[in-house]
């Protein structure tokens, strides 16, 4: 899986403004549950359609971006958390042990 690092407001604004479906994974580098969720996603990477964009946000380093995601897509902040978005619409979101590749790929 090719993670795209999400680290700037400009990136987030571009994602929000475009009509492209993307995945946003908010990961806490200090949380074992978050690490398990990330490993689980990577373990099932063969399910990902070609060309799908997966963004990775280190929310310890970029908490303000995590807050902006919650605000833009009107989804309560959680960690770990995954969102599938298309422009300004959140198609799907899950957190903690509910993060499953088999569920989120239905929206890609």
């Amino acid at each position: 899986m090719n993670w795209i690092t999400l680290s700037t407001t400009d990136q987030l604004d571009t994602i929000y403004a475009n009509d492209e479906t993307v995945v946003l994974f908010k990961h806490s580098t200090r949380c074992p549950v978050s690490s398990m969720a990330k490993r689980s996603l990577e373990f099932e990477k063969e399910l990902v359609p070609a060309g799908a964009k997966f963004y990775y946000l280190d929310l310890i380093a970029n908490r303000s971006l995590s807050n902006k995601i919650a605000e833009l897509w009107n989804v309560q902040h959680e960690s770990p958390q995954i969102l599938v978005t298309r422009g300004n619409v959140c198609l799907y979101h899950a957190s903690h042990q509910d993060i499953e590749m088999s569920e989120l790929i239905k929206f890609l």
Side-chain angles (χ1 to χ4, degrees):
M1 178 177 307
N2 293 326
W3 293 107
I4 303 165
T5 302
L6 178 58
S7 59
T8 69
T9 302
D10 287 342
Q11 284 177 292
L12 197 55
D13 290 341
T14 299
I15 291 167
Y16 190 79
N18 288 332
D19 193 35
E20 181 177 22
T21 302
V22 301
V23 177
L24 305 174
F25 179 60
K26 295 171 28 174
H27 174 64
S28 171
T29 55
R30 296 181 189 156
C31 173
V33 173
S34 193
S35 294
M36 287 176 27
K38 184 174 182 278
R39 275 194 303 270
S40 175
L41 291 170
E42 291 170 340
F43 183 74
E44 295 187 307
K45 65 185 176 188
E46 73 281 350
L47 298 175
V48 177
K53 291 187 178 178
F54 277 69
Y55 287 87
Y56 168 90
L57 173 67
D58 175 348
L59 56 88
I60 301 298
N62 296 291
R63 181 57 193 247
S64 62
L65 284 181
S66 179
N67 292 340
K68 186 167 182 177
I69 288 170
E71 177 186 322
L72 287 173
W73 284 282
N74 196 29
V75 175
Q76 180 178 338
H77 163 77
E78 298 200 52
S79 170
Q81 185 174 45
I82 201 152
L83 293 82
V84 180
T85 67
R86 183 179 303 127
N88 62 0
V89 176
C90 180
L91 303 172
Y92 172 82
H93 65 92
S95 64
H96 299 89
Q97 67 277 3
D98 293 333
I99 296 173
E100 294 184 24
M101 185 69 79
S102 61
E103 289 300 313
L104 74 91
I105 62 166
K106 295 175 186 176
F107 299 91
L108 298 180

